Amino acid sequence: MRIADGFTVKNRRNLKPVEDAYAFSGDGKAIVVADGITRDARRTPVLRFPENKLDVLGYLGAMRFFASYPKEGGNPARLVCSLFASDEWREKTPEYVRKRVEDINQAVGRVNETTRRVQKWKEFDYLEHDIPGCVAAGAVEDNGRVSYFYIADCGIAILDRFGYEIFRTKNEGPNSRGSIDKDISEKFGEDFNHPGGRKRIRRDYRNNPENQLSYGALTGEPEAMSYVRTGQVEARDGVFLIGYSDGLEGVIGINGFRKILFEEAARRNFGVMNEKLRRLCQKQVSSEGTLVYMIR
């Protein structure tokens, strides 16, 4: 028997629309999670929500930013999840998983090109008209073997019945190969807080295999596939197969997380387990994070 479920949690100070998504197949064998690319709001500077609760002007500025947040292009993360988690798994191999992701990336590209034409953008400018996209991770289990994929800082983990880690994918998100902020600051005197810096990062460091500090995202660009990692791992002792976005990467494996998994799964209280995990993650998340899991 397989049980699959998941959730998304947000910090209450995060006023952006939900850009994470998750899904699982009807038979519970496949799970997937995705995290949408942060984009620039229209005609407003990039702002971080103020830490000081008395910063009224900061709150007003943040609300103005999020009220202008772009809706064009829909939610690429939701599209990726819906396509990956369909039940049409003819093969359960890393090669087939990669082909599936390539097809999905192309589907994202078709949506983005339609968006560009409908919005009458001459081109994607990497600022207000940045390319919609997402990072993601997914896995499919068959007879104790898990074939998986991930790109950037979404990941897959396999835990034993006590909640201890058996396997986890590597974080290959922005700055995982070195500091991009430091690189553009030293070379160009810019950073992410300035429009020029954001444009340079998205144009020159995202989906650019020629750049040693680059990272990947599913935007429809064929270069994105250079950053998709696939593999297969034995998981006969694994009980929990988990997909996560970067917002919850640090929660997996902490004592409270392991305790909930072990105790509630042993009691077969799966609904209670999901709610307890959600509450724990809600306390830990700094912005937004998603967890999807399958229990063998």
Side-chain angles (χ1 to χ4, degrees):
M1 182 183 69
R2 292 177 175 83
I3 301 294
D5 212 335
F7 52 81
T8 296
V9 291
K10 285 180 63 175
N11 188 297
R12 292 177 177 84
R13 295 181 296 124
N14 180 3
L15 302 182
K16 285 192 306 180
V18 172
E19 295 180 300
D20 277 12
Y22 70 90
F24 45 85
S25 61
D27 59 9
K29 289 187 176 182
I31 62 170
V32 60
V33 62
D35 181 0
I37 290 173
T38 299
R39 300 169 66 190
D40 273 19
R42 295 181 295 277
R43 298 177 297 281
T44 59
V46 166
L47 294 174
R48 301 186 185 279
F49 209 89
E51 296 292 338
N52 186 347
K53 295 181 179 180
L54 300 179
D55 186 358
V56 177
L57 292 179
Y59 270 80
L60 291 175
M63 286 189 286
R64 177 171 172 258
F65 171 83
F66 293 129
S68 300
Y69 202 76
K71 300 178 178 61
E72 299 87 358
N75 188 330
R78 192 173 297 128
L79 172 63
V80 168
C81 288
S82 66
L83 293 176
F84 186 87
S86 68
D87 295 339
E88 300 172 1
W89 283 96
R90 297 189 299 275
E91 301 176 31
K92 301 178 180 65
T93 64
E95 294 77 17
Y96 187 72
V97 168
R98 184 176 182 83
K99 180 62 170 63
R100 190 72 166 270
V101 177
E102 185 174 20
D103 292 342
I104 291 171
N105 185 54
Q106 291 173 357
V108 172
R110 290 192 293 271
V111 171
N112 287 346
E113 183 57 28
T114 299
T115 298
R116 188 188 65 80
R117 291 199 305 268
V118 169
Q119 297 298 322
K120 298 181 179 179
W121 299 340
K122 291 183 178 180
E123 61 183 10
F124 291 111
D125 65 4
Y126 302 97
L127 289 170
E128 294 179 17
H129 303 154
D130 190 21
I131 309 173
C134 67
V135 296
V140 57
E141 188 269 344
D142 183 51
N143 292 324
R145 290 179 176 270
V146 172
S147 295
Y148 64 86
F149 88 90
Y150 70 95
I151 180 170
D153 48 16
C154 282
I156 296 294
I158 301 173
L159 311 180
D160 67 15
R161 68 189 183 95
F162 299 104
Y164 286 97
E165 185 178 306
I166 295 175
F167 169 81
R168 192 197 285 234
T169 55
K170 183 180 177 181
N171 184 325
E172 295 190 2
N175 300 308
S176 61
R177 301 181 182 184
S179 175
I180 295 174
D181 290 331
K182 180 181 179 182
D183 194 51
I184 65 168
S185 176
E186 292 177 349
K187 290 180 179 177
F188 309 106
E190 299 173 335
D191 61 30
F192 189 79
N193 291 322
H194 297 90
R198 295 195 299 280
K199 181 173 183 176
R200 191 178 297 278
I201 289 172
R202 294 163 179 165
R203 183 191 64 201
D204 300 341
Y205 292 79
R206 187 179 68 201
N207 290 341
N208 182 6
E210 295 183 0
N211 190 321
Q212 293 183 348
L213 297 180
S214 62
Y215 63 96
L218 300 175
T219 59
E221 298 165 294
E223 293 83 1
M225 293 305 298
S226 298
Y227 302 89
V228 173
R229 309 291 182 240
T230 58
Q232 188 176 79
V233 61
E234 289 278 355
R236 299 190 186 280
D237 294 329
V239 174
F240 305 99
L241 174 62
I242 296 176
Y244 55 89
S245 66
D246 68 313
L248 294 181
E249 179 181 13
V251 180
I252 298 171
I254 65 174
N255 289 335
F257 190 90
R258 290 199 303 267
K259 186 173 186 291
I260 292 170
L261 287 180
F262 171 65
E263 292 182 352
E264 302 306 334
R267 297 169 183 151
R268 305 179 71 80
N269 291 335
F270 301 119
V272 173
M273 186 188 84
N274 190 71
E275 179 58 22
K276 285 186 175 182
L277 287 175
R278 188 194 65 77
R279 289 203 303 264
L280 173 67
C281 291
Q282 180 69 68
K283 293 177 182 178
Q284 298 286 333
V285 71
S286 60
S287 178
E288 178 176 289
T290 295
L291 200 73
V292 60
Y293 56 87
M294 183 265 284
I295 307 172
R296 297 178 66 229

